[in-house]
Amino acid sequence: MLPLAPPAPTAFRQWPNVLEVSAATVNGRTMPIRKPVLDPPFHIVRASHVELNVRDLERSRAFYVDCLGLLVSDEAPDALYLRGVEERNHHSIVLRRSREADACALGFKLASEDDLDRAASWFARRNLPTAFPDIPYQGRTLRTADIFGMPLDLYVQMDQRDSMLQNYAEYRGARIQRIDHLNCFTPDVQASYDFYSEIGFRLTEYSETDGEDPQLWAVWLHRKGNVHDLAFTNGLGPRLHHVGLWTPGVLDIIHICDVMATSGYLANMERGPGRHGISNAFFLYLRDPDGHRIELFTSDYLTVDTDLEPIRWSLTDPQRQTLWGQPAPASWFEQGSGFSGVVQRQPALTAQPIVAR
Amino acid sequence: MLPLAPPAPTAFRQWPNVLEVSAATVNGRTMPIRKPVLDPPFHIVRASHVELNVRDLERSRAFYVDCLGLLVSDEAPDALYLRGVEERNHHSIVLRRSREADACALGFKLASEDDLDRAASWFARRNLPTAFPDIPYQGRTLRTADIFGMPLDLYVQMDQRDSMLQNYAEYRGARIQRIDHLNCFTPDVQASYDFYSEIGFRLTEYSETDGEDPQLWAVWLHRKGNVHDLAFTNGLGPRLHHVGLWTPGVLDIIHICDVMATSGYLANMERGPGRHGISNAFFLYLRDPDGHRIELFTSDYLTVDTDLEPIRWSLTDPQRQTLWGQPAPASWFEQGSGFSGVVQRQPALTAQPIVAR
Amino acid sequence: MLPLAPPAPTAFRQWPNVLEVSAATVNGRTMPIRKPVLDPPFHIVRASHVELNVRDLERSRAFYVDCLGLLVSDEAPDALYLRGVEERNHHSIVLRRSREADACALGFKLASEDDLDRAASWFARRNLPTAFPDIPYQGRTLRTADIFGMPLDLYVQMDQRDSMLQNYAEYRGARIQRIDHLNCFTPDVQASYDFYSEIGFRLTEYSETDGEDPQLWAVWLHRKGNVHDLAFTNGLGPRLHHVGLWTPGVLDIIHICDVMATSGYLANMERGPGRHGISNAFFLYLRDPDGHRIELFTSDYLTVDTDLEPIRWSLTDPQRQTLWGQPAPASWFEQGSGFSGVVQRQPALTAQPIVAR
Amino acid sequence: MLPLAPPAPTAFRQWPNVLEVSAATVNGRTMPIRKPVLDPPFHIVRASHVELNVRDLERSRAFYVDCLGLLVSDEAPDALYLRGVEERNHHSIVLRRSREADACALGFKLASEDDLDRAASWFARRNLPTAFPDIPYQGRTLRTADIFGMPLDLYVQMDQRDSMLQNYAEYRGARIQRIDHLNCFTPDVQASYDFYSEIGFRLTEYSETDGEDPQLWAVWLHRKGNVHDLAFTNGLGPRLHHVGLWTPGVLDIIHICDVMATSGYLANMERGPGRHGISNAFFLYLRDPDGHRIELFTSDYLTVDTDLEPIRWSLTDPQRQTLWGQPAPASWFEQGSGFSGVVQRQPALTAQPIVAR
C-alpha cells in the first residue's frame, strides 16, 4: 500500500475552467451541475473492461466462471480473459495473477481511430500521461490517467469472439450478459465530475449534501445511454468501488443469491439483493476472493435524451441507496480496490451517509 | 404394436355399480359427476413415478439430464433412475433400455403397508392382477392394472436420496423440482373416472361434450391437493399421454424453450409455452427422443377442500386447452405411449376437440 | 393487555401421554420428535382463516385491499371480509373494528360435519372449551382453544364466492392467491407440538438448541401437504406471530416491495425479501397498520409423503432464518399479536436466536 | 384507401448515390450492406412517438390505458396523449379521433435545435417536404417525409411530465416503460435502408433472400444503442407495421396475455408470446381496436459499438422470426396501418417468408 497523500482537492479544482464553458441552471440551482457536452473532443462509446490483479487465479476462476458463470475467452498462465454471454468484444474482465490484489486500469472503447488520436492529444495537452503499450487481444491502446492518477485504457478495436447470447445451453450462474459500468471512489467528486463531463460524460443522477452550500457526494455519468458507464463517490481515492455487470432479469440475481449462499460463497455476499433508489436498478453486491467488488445490476432506464434532467438525491435520503430502506454496510462505504502504484488521497468532504450499524 | 381390440366401453361400464354409491348433483347436473370418496378402501398419497422404455439410453440421458436438468440417482447398464431437485424418493422417472419405446407402469405411493395390503385385496376381489415383483430401490410393490389393463405399481417405501432443493449450484436446465402428475388416454373416460373415484381420486376439472346428453371428454383427478395426480382424455387407450414435471416458476419454462431451441431440440418442442385454461398452470409440452411426452408445469392451485366443486369446461371452448387461444397440434391429441404388452381399444366417443390445422 | 401468567410449562407437559402413543426415532434421536399420527381423531383439512381486531377499518382497508391487493368478499360497518384470487371460501382474513388491536381466533377447515362432531367430543373430553357460536358466512363452527388457551374456530362449510384466479384483470398489488399458514408464539414449543401432533398435524422442519439435551425452539406442522399450516416459535404466548399468504411467484413479492417503498408503506416492511433456509420459501414480512404481521410467501415444497423425515436446524444456524445470511430484526423475534382476553405466559426456554443488532 | 401506385422501386433506387459514399464489405459480401455513417448530417437521438388515428377514442382508451396500462399525460375531446412509466417526454403515443384508422406520422427526437435546422436543409435539398406546423406539447417540429412519402416529425423539445418509474403503485397492465421502436413496411427495403443509413441509422440485423444475388428482405436500424429504433420489412408500403413498447421483463408480457385472454381481448392477441431470433427479444404482438399493431418487447442487447457487425438471417430460417419455431400468422405479414393520404406501392421483391397456414 502506498502512503496516503494529504487532501489536495483545491489544487485539482483549479485544473480546467470548465464551469465557464457550460455552467447551467438545473433544478433551480446554478451550481455545481453543468450542461452536458454534446460535442466532446473525442467520442467515448462506453465503459468496456477492467483489469484486476488477483493473488490466486484458480480461486478467482472458481468465483467468476464456475459460480457467476462468466465465459472464458482465453486463458494464459498468468491471466484469465472473461466476457458475458452477449459480448463479442474479447474481454470485459481481465484477471492477472499478482502479489497485490489491486486494480490496473479501466478500459473505455472509443468510436474511431481518429477519436483515439484526438484523445491522445487532449490528454497530452493537459500534461496527463500518454503511452501506447501493446495489450493482448486489443488494437492500438492509449494508456493515460485522469487528474487523480486513475489509469485509463482507451482503444477502439478488440479481438472479436462469437456472441453466446443465443447459446442458451451455455448460460450458467447469474447468466451475466455484459459489463455495464465502473464505479470509483474519488477524493473530490466535483473535480472528477468536471473532468469527465468535459470529455462527454453526461450526468443522470447525483447525490449531494443538504444545506445552503450543497456539495456533490456522488455522480452517475453515462456515455452509452443508460444510467451510467462511470460513477464517482466521495472517499479515499482514486479507488475502484465496483464493476457493474448486467443480468437479463431480477430472477437471475435471486438465483445467484441462492447459489452463493449454498455453495460456500455466503461471506462473499456483501449487500442486497435490493432495488436502488438511484438508477431504479435491481442489484446485488459481491466481493470476489480478493475483495474486489462486483455489482450484479439490471433494469435501469434510457437516458439518451439530450434534455434529460439529472435527478438530485439528498445524501440523507435513505431510499437513494436502497429504495426499500435497508442501509448499506460500513464495508460498502469504506472498502475498495486501490489502483496499482497510484497514490490515494483523503477527501476534503466528510459528510456521513447512512450506514448500517 | 399389439393389434387393436374393438371398442368395448359398455362392458367396462358394467364393472362397479359405483354410481349408486355416491352419485351427486354438481352444477345442477345429476350425471356423470360424483361426490368424492373421502374414506377410500386404501390411501394413495400421490402419483410417484413412471417407468419408460427407451431405445437409446445415452440419447435419452442427453435429453433428460443434460438438457432438462434432471438429477441421476443411479444408473445401471440398462436403466437410468432420475429425480427432481426437491425429491428424496429415489426416482420419479425410470428409463429402461428396450427395443420398443413404450411405457411400463405408473407408480403411486401409498400411505402405509396396511394400505398396500388393503389395495392388494381390493384389486384381487375385482379379478384384477396382483403380483409383488422385486423392484430395485423400492420396498414391497404391488403390480396391478386398472380395468383397461393400464399397469399400476403401488408401493409405500422407496430408497431415499438427499433433497437437492438447497443445492442451488446443481440446478440445471428447467430446474425441475418434482413429478407432478400422469396423464393418460382412455377408451372410456367415464369408466376410468368411475374406477379411480372409487379408490379416492377426487375430480377438480373436467371437459365434456355439449348438448342434452353430455359425455365426459377428459377428467383431472387428484390425491395430493393440487389439480391432478392423474388425468384421462378420451382416445385410443390405455396409453400414457404425458408425464407432468413441476418447475419452480414460469421463467424456468421460458428458459428451457430458449435452451432447446438453440441446442438441437427445436423439433422436440411440441406445444406451448402457454397458460392452460384448465388448471390455470403455465405449461410446455416436449417429446423425448423416443416420442414420450413430457409436460413442464407450474403454478396451479390448492384443491384440498372437501367441498371443492369441480370446474366444467365445454369441449368446444378454445380456452380450456390454452387460455390464450392457440389450439394444440394434432399430434398432441393423437399420439401417446402405449403400455408394454397392453391391448389398446378405440374409444366409443368420437367428438372432436379444436385442433390446430 | 392482560397480566402475564408465570411460566408453567411443566403442567402442560403432563397433559396427554402422547409420547407413549407414537414416540419415534428420527435422525437417530429418540426425543422429542414423534411419528406422524396418520389416523387422527378428526380430519383437519387446512389452515383456513384468521380474524383480527383493528382500530381503524379504513386504514386497514387501504393496507390490505388498496396496497396488498386482497379481494373484498363482503363488508359490514364493523368488519371487512377478504380473500385471495384463487379462494372460493368466503374469507381468509376477517378484520373487525375494535378498540384493541389483537387477534380473535384461528380458523381451520375440517373434512366433514362428522369430523366436526368428533372434534367437539375430543376437545370436550380434554376439558377444553366447546361452543358453537353463529359466525357470519360460515356453517356450523366449533369455537374451542388449545392447551394454552389459543382460540380455534373449526368448521366445514363456508359461503362460496367465485374464484378470481382467471380474472387476471382484477389482480392488484402482490396478487395474493390464498392463505397459506398461521405462525404463533407458544410458551412451550414441545407441548404445542405434542398437542397438535395428536390431532394430525405433521412435522416438516424444526429448530432446536444444540447440546446434549436439545430443546425444541420452533416447529413447522402441516395438514395440506406443503411445509406448514401452523408453526410455533418459542416466546411469550400464545400470540399470533404472523399470517402467511401465498403469492404466485418471487417477482410478485419484489413488486410489492417496490410499491410499498414508494407509496407510504416503507415503515411497514419489517424483514426481507429473502429466501428462508427453513421451508426454502421466498418471503417478505410486513406489519399492518395495527402491527399485525403478514408474511408473503411462495415456492416451498411438497410434503405429502408419510415417510417424509423432518429436517432439523440448529438454533444457531444463521441460514435457517434467511438462507442468504441476513439476521431478522429484534422486533421479528419479540413482537406479536395477543389473542383477545387470553392470558400470556413467558416461555421456560430462554435460548437466544441470532438477531440483527 | 388511396389507389395503389404501381411498383416503382427502380426510380427510388436512383435517388442518392449513397453506395459510393460508404459501400462496405460485411461478412465477406460487398453488397448491399454499408458501413455505418458515424458523422451524420444531423443527430437523431431516438424514435420518440407515433400519432395514430382511431375511430372510437373511448374504445382505444379502454385498450391502451385500462388494459395495457399506459399513463395519460393529457386528453382533449379529440385526442389522448399517452406515455410509459419511465417517460418524461409528454407523449410516446398520440391517439386522434378520426373517421379513418390510419397512422399520421412517426416522431423522432433530435439532439439540438441546430440539428433540427440542419435536418430541414438536408430534406429540402432532396426536394422532400419541409414544414414547421404547431404541434401541441412539442417544441419546433419539422414535418417531412422519406423517399416513399412516409411522414416524419423531427423535433428536439417536448413538454416534460414526471417520470412515474418509482411510482410503482401506479403500475398497471403490462407496466410499459417506454416506446422502443417503430417498424414499417416499405416497397423497397434496400432503398429505405440506404436512405436512413445516410442520416445515421445503423444496421444491427437483417434478413435477405438466399442465392447468388441476395435481396434485403428486412432491416433493423438503431440510433439509441439497442437493436432498433426503426425497422423495415418488404411489403406494400409505406405502412406502419407496429409500434414497439418496452416492458420491464418477460413476466410482464406473460401477465398481459393472461389479462387480455380473460377480459375480452383474446382476439386482439395476434402472435406470441415468444422469443425472437432476430434481436433475441421476448415479444407479444397485439392489435388495437382499430387494427393498429403493438409489440410488447423486452430484453434485447447493447449495440453502441461502432465496429458491431450486423447479423445476417436467411429469409427461410424459421428461427429468425421466432426462436422457438412457431411461424407468424399471415395477418402479421400482410396487414399494417397506412399513412394518412400517402400512396402505397407494391414491392418489387416477392420472396415468401414462412407463414403459419
Side-chain angles (χ1 to χ4, degrees):
Chain A
M1 174 77 79
L2 294 176
L4 294 181
T10 312
F12 293 101
R13 297 291 285 280
Q14 293 170 352
W15 163 67
N17 289 323
V18 290
L19 292 178
E20 281 79 1
V21 178
S22 59
T25 298
V26 174
N27 295 339
R29 300 170 54 255
T30 52
M31 278 276 293
I33 301 305
R34 306 143 43 97
K35 280 188 179 164
V37 173
L38 297 180
D39 189 22
F42 53 93
H43 288 272
I44 294 173
V45 171
R46 64 176 175 95
S48 153
H49 60 281
V50 66
E51 199 173 318
L52 301 173
N53 288 326
V54 300
R55 287 166 296 179
D56 181 336
L57 208 49
E58 281 314 299
R59 188 179 59 170
S60 296
R61 183 193 178 98
F63 178 81
Y64 285 100
V65 178
D66 301 339
C67 178
L68 295 190
L70 284 166
L71 303 172
V72 177
S73 289
D74 268 295
E75 51 186 324
D78 285 333
L80 198 56
Y81 295 85
L82 305 174
R83 72 186 198 283
V85 294
E86 84 168 52
E87 292 183 306
R88 307 184 207 176
N89 259 14
H90 181 272
H91 50 263
S92 49
I93 296 186
V94 182
L95 303 177
R96 294 206 182 281
R97 193 190 308 276
S98 172
R99 291 179 54 186
E100 293 292 324
D102 47 21
C104 305
L106 307 182
F108 292 89
K109 191 174 181 92
L110 268 52
S112 71
E113 296 293 336
D114 285 350
D115 285 300
L116 191 53
D117 291 329
R118 284 192 289 267
S121 303
W122 191 90
F123 280 89
R125 281 200 307 275
R126 279 155 186 82
N127 292 322
L128 293 166
T130 57
F132 284 90
D134 283 338
I135 311 274
Y137 309 106
Q138 284 177 215
R140 207 161 55 105
T141 301
L142 168 64
R143 178 154 287 179
T144 179
D146 75 6
I147 47 172
F148 292 107
M150 188 166 76
L152 307 173
D153 275 7
L154 310 183
Y155 78 101
V156 178
Q157 291 190 299
M158 193 183 277
D159 282 12
Q160 298 290 292
R161 289 289 182 269
D162 288 341
S163 168
M164 302 293 275
L165 187 59
Q166 294 186 335
N167 290 43
Y168 284 100
E170 307 302 315
Y171 281 34
R172 291 286 182 276
R175 301 176 178 170
I176 294 163
Q177 282 194 250
R178 60 177 178 265
I179 193 169
D180 184 77
H181 62 260
L182 303 164
N183 187 310
C184 304
F185 282 117
T186 174
D188 187 336
V189 172
Q190 183 71 49
S192 291
Y193 166 57
D194 291 344
F195 179 86
Y196 286 94
S197 291
E198 196 67 8
I199 55 177
F201 283 85
R202 288 152 61 178
L203 186 70
T204 55
E205 307 207 20
Y206 61 101
S207 60
E208 61 179 8
T209 57
D210 295 322
E212 294 222 340
D213 181 24
Q215 304 289 313
L216 282 179
W217 176 263
V219 291
W220 283 258
L221 303 165
H222 87 94
R223 285 294 303 163
K224 71 179 171 305
N226 70 341
V227 171
H228 55 323
D229 287 274
L230 184 59
F232 289 100
T233 301
N234 184 71
L236 175 71
R239 288 182 300 160
L240 176 64
H241 188 272
H242 68 261
V243 183
L245 304 177
W246 185 272
T247 68
V250 168
L251 289 189
D252 300 303
I253 292 178
I254 298 296
H255 179 65
I256 204 69
C257 289
D258 290 331
V259 169
M260 294 183 70
T262 56
S263 62
Y265 289 109
L266 182 63
N268 298 69
M269 300 168 67
E270 185 184 34
R271 179 184 165 201
R275 172 85 61 194
H276 281 308
I278 291 173
S279 83
N280 196 49
F282 197 83
F283 72 88
L284 174 71
Y285 289 97
L286 310 173
R287 304 298 290 273
D288 87 355
D290 289 281
H292 299 305
R293 188 180 287 106
I294 298 292
E295 181 183 22
L296 302 180
F297 179 93
T298 192
S299 294
D300 60 352
Y301 59 91
L302 191 68
T303 62
V304 291
D305 289 0
T306 49
D307 57 357
L308 187 94
E309 289 235 337
I311 298 173
R312 178 193 181 274
W313 294 82
S314 164
L315 181 57
T316 55
D317 182 344
Q319 291 193 286
R320 74 183 183 99
Q321 296 167 7
T322 310
L323 196 67
W324 307 337
Q326 300 98 324
S331 65
W332 192 88
F333 286 100
E334 295 163 6
Q335 299 173 11
S337 302
F339 288 96
S340 212
V342 177
V343 176
Q344 297 170 13
R345 297 168 197 276
Q346 289 288 359
L349 181 57
T350 56
Q352 187 57 35
I354 299 166
V355 179
R357 284 151 296 154
Chain B
M1 174 76 76
L2 293 177
L4 293 182
T10 311
F12 293 102
R13 296 291 285 278
Q14 293 170 353
W15 163 68
N17 289 324
V18 292
L19 291 179
E20 282 77 3
V21 179
S22 58
T25 299
V26 174
N27 294 339
R29 298 172 56 254
T30 51
M31 278 272 296
I33 301 305
R34 305 144 42 95
K35 279 188 180 164
V37 173
L38 297 180
D39 189 22
F42 53 92
H43 289 271
I44 295 174
V45 172
R46 63 176 176 96
S48 153
H49 60 281
V50 65
E51 198 173 319
L52 302 173
N53 287 325
V54 300
R55 287 166 295 180
D56 181 335
L57 208 48
E58 279 314 299
R59 188 180 58 171
S60 296
R61 183 193 176 97
F63 178 80
Y64 285 99
V65 178
D66 301 340
C67 177
L68 295 189
L70 283 167
L71 303 173
V72 178
S73 289
D74 267 295
E75 51 187 326
D78 285 333
L80 198 56
Y81 295 85
L82 305 175
R83 72 187 199 282
V85 294
E86 86 170 50
E87 291 182 307
R88 306 184 208 176
N89 258 14
H90 181 271
H91 49 265
S92 49
I93 295 184
V94 181
L95 304 176
R96 295 207 181 278
R97 193 191 309 274
S98 171
R99 290 178 55 185
E100 294 292 325
D102 46 20
C104 305
L106 307 183
F108 292 88
K109 190 175 181 95
L110 269 51
S112 70
E113 297 293 336
D114 285 349
D115 285 300
L116 191 54
D117 291 330
R118 284 192 287 267
S121 303
W122 191 90
F123 279 88
R125 280 199 304 277
R126 280 156 186 80
N127 292 321
L128 293 166
T130 56
F132 284 90
D134 283 339
I135 311 274
Y137 309 108
Q138 283 176 217
R140 207 163 53 106
T141 302
L142 169 64
R143 178 154 288 181
T144 181
D146 73 7
I147 47 171
F148 293 106
M150 189 166 75
L152 307 172
D153 276 6
L154 310 183
Y155 79 101
V156 178
Q157 291 190 298
M158 194 183 275
D159 283 13
Q160 299 289 292
R161 288 288 181 271
D162 288 340
S163 168
M164 301 293 274
L165 188 58
Q166 294 187 334
N167 290 46
Y168 285 99
E170 306 303 316
Y171 281 32
R172 292 286 182 276
R175 300 175 180 171
I176 294 163
Q177 281 193 251
R178 60 177 177 265
I179 193 169
D180 184 77
H181 62 261
L182 302 165
N183 187 310
C184 303
F185 283 117
T186 175
D188 187 337
V189 172
Q190 183 71 50
S192 292
Y193 166 58
D194 291 344
F195 179 86
Y196 286 95
S197 291
E198 198 65 7
I199 55 176
F201 284 84
R202 288 152 62 177
L203 186 70
T204 55
E205 309 206 19
Y206 62 102
S207 60
E208 61 179 9
T209 57
D210 295 322
E212 292 222 341
D213 181 22
Q215 303 290 314
L216 280 180
W217 177 263
V219 291
W220 283 257
L221 303 165
H222 86 94
R223 285 293 305 165
K224 71 180 171 301
N226 69 341
V227 171
H228 56 323
D229 286 274
L230 183 59
F232 288 101
T233 302
N234 183 70
L236 176 71
R239 288 183 300 159
L240 176 64
H241 187 273
H242 68 260
V243 183
L245 304 178
W246 184 272
T247 68
V250 168
L251 290 189
D252 300 302
I253 292 179
I254 299 295
H255 179 64
I256 204 69
C257 289
D258 291 331
V259 168
M260 294 184 71
T262 56
S263 61
Y265 290 108
L266 182 61
N268 299 68
M269 299 169 68
E270 185 184 35
R271 179 185 165 201
R275 172 85 61 194
H276 281 308
I278 291 173
S279 83
N280 197 49
F282 198 83
F283 71 89
L284 174 72
Y285 289 97
L286 311 173
R287 302 300 288 273
D288 87 354
D290 289 282
H292 298 305
R293 187 180 287 107
I294 298 292
E295 181 183 21
L296 302 180
F297 180 93
T298 192
S299 294
D300 60 353
Y301 59 91
L302 190 68
T303 62
V304 290
D305 289 0
T306 49
D307 57 356
L308 187 92
E309 289 236 336
I311 299 173
R312 179 193 180 274
W313 295 82
S314 163
L315 180 57
T316 56
D317 182 344
Q319 291 194 285
R320 75 183 181 99
Q321 296 167 8
T322 310
L323 196 67
W324 308 337
Q326 300 99 325
S331 64
W332 191 88
F333 286 100
E334 296 163 5
Q335 300 174 9
S337 302
F339 288 96
S340 213
V342 177
V343 176
Q344 298 171 12
R345 298 168 196 275
Q346 289 288 358
L349 180 58
T350 57
Q352 188 57 36
I354 299 167
V355 179
R357 282 150 299 156
Chain C
M1 174 74 80
L2 293 176
L4 294 182
T10 311
F12 293 102
R13 297 291 284 280
Q14 294 170 352
W15 163 66
N17 288 325
V18 290
L19 292 178
E20 281 77 3
V21 177
S22 58
T25 299
V26 174
N27 294 338
R29 298 170 56 254
T30 51
M31 279 274 297
I33 300 305
R34 305 144 43 94
K35 280 188 180 162
V37 174
L38 297 181
D39 189 22
F42 53 93
H43 288 271
I44 294 174
V45 172
R46 65 176 175 94
S48 153
H49 61 279
V50 66
E51 198 173 319
L52 302 173
N53 287 325
V54 301
R55 286 166 297 181
D56 181 335
L57 209 48
E58 280 314 298
R59 187 179 60 170
S60 296
R61 183 193 178 98
F63 178 80
Y64 285 100
V65 178
D66 301 340
C67 178
L68 295 190
L70 284 166
L71 303 173
V72 178
S73 290
D74 267 296
E75 52 187 324
D78 285 332
L80 199 55
Y81 296 84
L82 306 174
R83 73 186 199 282
V85 294
E86 87 170 48
E87 291 182 308
R88 307 184 207 176
N89 259 12
H90 181 271
H91 50 264
S92 49
I93 295 184
V94 182
L95 303 176
R96 293 205 182 281
R97 192 192 308 277
S98 172
R99 290 179 55 186
E100 293 293 324
D102 46 22
C104 304
L106 307 183
F108 293 88
K109 190 174 181 95
L110 268 52
S112 70
E113 296 294 334
D114 285 349
D115 285 300
L116 191 54
D117 290 330
R118 284 192 288 268
S121 301
W122 191 90
F123 280 89
R125 280 201 305 277
R126 280 155 186 79
N127 291 322
L128 293 166
T130 56
F132 284 91
D134 283 338
I135 310 274
Y137 309 106
Q138 284 177 216
R140 208 161 54 104
T141 302
L142 168 64
R143 178 153 289 179
T144 181
D146 74 5
I147 47 172
F148 293 108
M150 189 166 75
L152 307 173
D153 276 7
L154 310 183
Y155 78 101
V156 178
Q157 291 190 299
M158 194 184 276
D159 283 11
Q160 299 290 291
R161 288 288 181 272
D162 288 341
S163 168
M164 301 293 273
L165 188 58
Q166 294 187 334
N167 289 46
Y168 285 100
E170 306 304 314
Y171 281 33
R172 293 285 181 276
R175 300 174 179 171
I176 294 163
Q177 281 193 247
R178 62 178 176 264
I179 193 170
D180 184 77
H181 62 261
L182 303 165
N183 187 311
C184 303
F185 283 117
T186 176
D188 187 336
V189 172
Q190 182 71 51
S192 291
Y193 166 57
D194 291 344
F195 179 87
Y196 286 94
S197 291
E198 197 66 9
I199 54 176
F201 283 86
R202 288 153 62 179
L203 185 70
T204 55
E205 308 206 19
Y206 62 101
S207 60
E208 61 179 8
T209 57
D210 295 323
E212 294 221 341
D213 181 22
Q215 303 290 312
L216 281 179
W217 177 261
V219 290
W220 283 257
L221 303 166
H222 86 94
R223 285 294 305 164
K224 71 181 172 299
N226 71 341
V227 172
H228 56 322
D229 287 275
L230 184 59
F232 289 100
T233 302
N234 183 70
L236 176 71
R239 288 182 299 160
L240 176 64
H241 187 273
H242 68 261
V243 183
L245 304 177
W246 184 273
T247 69
V250 168
L251 290 190
D252 300 302
I253 292 179
I254 299 296
H255 179 64
I256 204 69
C257 289
D258 291 332
V259 168
M260 294 184 70
T262 57
S263 61
Y265 289 109
L266 182 62
N268 298 70
M269 301 168 67
E270 186 184 34
R271 178 183 166 202
R275 172 85 62 194
H276 281 306
I278 292 173
S279 83
N280 196 49
F282 197 83
F283 71 89
L284 174 71
Y285 288 98
L286 310 173
R287 303 298 290 272
D288 88 353
D290 289 282
H292 298 305
R293 187 180 287 106
I294 298 292
E295 180 183 22
L296 302 180
F297 179 94
T298 193
S299 294
D300 59 354
Y301 59 90
L302 191 68
T303 62
V304 291
D305 289 0
T306 50
D307 58 356
L308 187 94
E309 289 237 336
I311 298 173
R312 178 193 180 274
W313 295 82
S314 163
L315 181 58
T316 56
D317 182 343
Q319 291 193 286
R320 76 182 180 100
Q321 296 167 9
T322 309
L323 196 67
W324 308 337
Q326 300 98 326
S331 65
W332 191 87
F333 286 100
E334 295 164 5
Q335 299 174 9
S337 302
F339 287 96
S340 213
V342 177
V343 176
Q344 298 171 12
R345 297 169 196 275
Q346 289 289 359
L349 181 57
T350 56
Q352 186 58 34
I354 299 166
V355 179
R357 282 150 300 159
Chain D
M1 175 76 80
L2 295 176
L4 294 182
T10 312
F12 293 103
R13 298 290 286 277
Q14 294 171 351
W15 163 68
N17 287 325
V18 289
L19 292 179
E20 282 78 3
V21 178
S22 58
T25 298
V26 174
N27 296 339
R29 300 171 55 257
T30 52
M31 277 276 293
I33 300 307
R34 306 143 42 96
K35 280 189 179 162
V37 174
L38 297 180
D39 189 23
F42 53 92
H43 288 271
I44 294 173
V45 172
R46 63 177 175 96
S48 152
H49 61 281
V50 65
E51 198 172 319
L52 302 173
N53 287 326
V54 300
R55 287 166 296 181
D56 181 335
L57 208 48
E58 280 314 297
R59 188 179 58 171
S60 297
R61 182 194 178 97
F63 178 80
Y64 285 100
V65 178
D66 300 340
C67 177
L68 296 189
L70 284 166
L71 303 173
V72 177
S73 290
D74 267 295
E75 51 187 325
D78 285 334
L80 199 54
Y81 295 84
L82 305 174
R83 73 186 199 283
V85 293
E86 85 168 52
E87 292 183 307
R88 308 184 208 176
N89 258 14
H90 181 272
H91 50 265
S92 49
I93 295 185
V94 182
L95 304 176
R96 292 205 183 281
R97 193 191 307 276
S98 172
R99 291 179 54 185
E100 294 292 325
D102 47 20
C104 304
L106 307 183
F108 292 88
K109 190 172 180 98
L110 269 52
S112 70
E113 297 293 335
D114 285 350
D115 284 300
L116 191 54
D117 290 330
R118 285 192 288 266
S121 301
W122 190 90
F123 280 88
R125 281 200 305 276
R126 278 150 188 86
N127 292 321
L128 292 166
T130 56
F132 284 90
D134 283 339
I135 310 274
Y137 308 107
Q138 284 177 217
R140 206 162 55 107
T141 301
L142 169 65
R143 177 154 288 178
T144 181
D146 74 7
I147 48 171
F148 293 106
M150 188 167 75
L152 307 173
D153 276 6
L154 310 183
Y155 78 102
V156 178
Q157 291 190 300
M158 194 183 276
D159 282 12
Q160 299 290 292
R161 288 289 181 271
D162 288 341
S163 168
M164 301 294 274
L165 187 59
Q166 293 185 335
N167 290 45
Y168 284 99
E170 306 303 315
Y171 281 34
R172 292 287 182 276
R175 302 175 178 170
I176 295 164
Q177 280 193 253
R178 60 177 177 265
I179 193 169
D180 184 78
H181 62 261
L182 302 165
N183 187 309
C184 303
F185 282 117
T186 175
D188 187 336
V189 173
Q190 182 71 49
S192 291
Y193 165 57
D194 291 345
F195 178 87
Y196 286 94
S197 290
E198 197 66 8
I199 55 178
F201 284 84
R202 288 153 61 178
L203 185 70
T204 55
E205 309 206 20
Y206 62 102
S207 61
E208 61 179 8
T209 57
D210 296 322
E212 293 220 340
D213 182 24
Q215 303 289 312
L216 281 179
W217 177 264
V219 291
W220 283 257
L221 303 165
H222 86 94
R223 285 293 304 163
K224 71 179 170 302
N226 69 340
V227 171
H228 56 321
D229 287 276
L230 184 59
F232 288 101
T233 302
N234 184 70
L236 176 72
R239 288 182 299 161
L240 177 63
H241 187 274
H242 68 260
V243 183
L245 304 177
W246 185 272
T247 69
V250 167
L251 290 190
D252 300 303
I253 292 178
I254 299 296
H255 179 66
I256 204 69
C257 289
D258 291 331
V259 169
M260 294 183 71
T262 57
S263 62
Y265 289 109
L266 182 62
N268 298 69
M269 300 168 68
E270 185 184 33
R271 179 185 165 200
R275 173 85 60 194
H276 281 306
I278 293 173
S279 82
N280 196 49
F282 197 83
F283 71 88
L284 174 71
Y285 289 97
L286 311 173
R287 303 298 289 273
D288 87 355
D290 289 281
H292 298 305
R293 187 179 288 106
I294 298 293
E295 181 183 21
L296 302 181
F297 179 94
T298 192
S299 293
D300 60 353
Y301 59 90
L302 191 69
T303 63
V304 291
D305 289 1
T306 50
D307 56 357
L308 186 93
E309 288 234 338
I311 298 173
R312 179 192 179 275
W313 295 81
S314 163
L315 181 56
T316 57
D317 181 344
Q319 291 194 286
R320 73 182 185 101
Q321 295 166 8
T322 309
L323 196 66
W324 308 336
Q326 301 97 326
S331 65
W332 192 88
F333 286 101
E334 295 163 4
Q335 299 174 10
S337 302
F339 288 97
S340 211
V342 177
V343 176
Q344 298 170 13
R345 298 167 197 275
Q346 289 288 359
L349 180 58
T350 56
Q352 187 57 34
I354 299 166
V355 178
R357 283 151 298 155

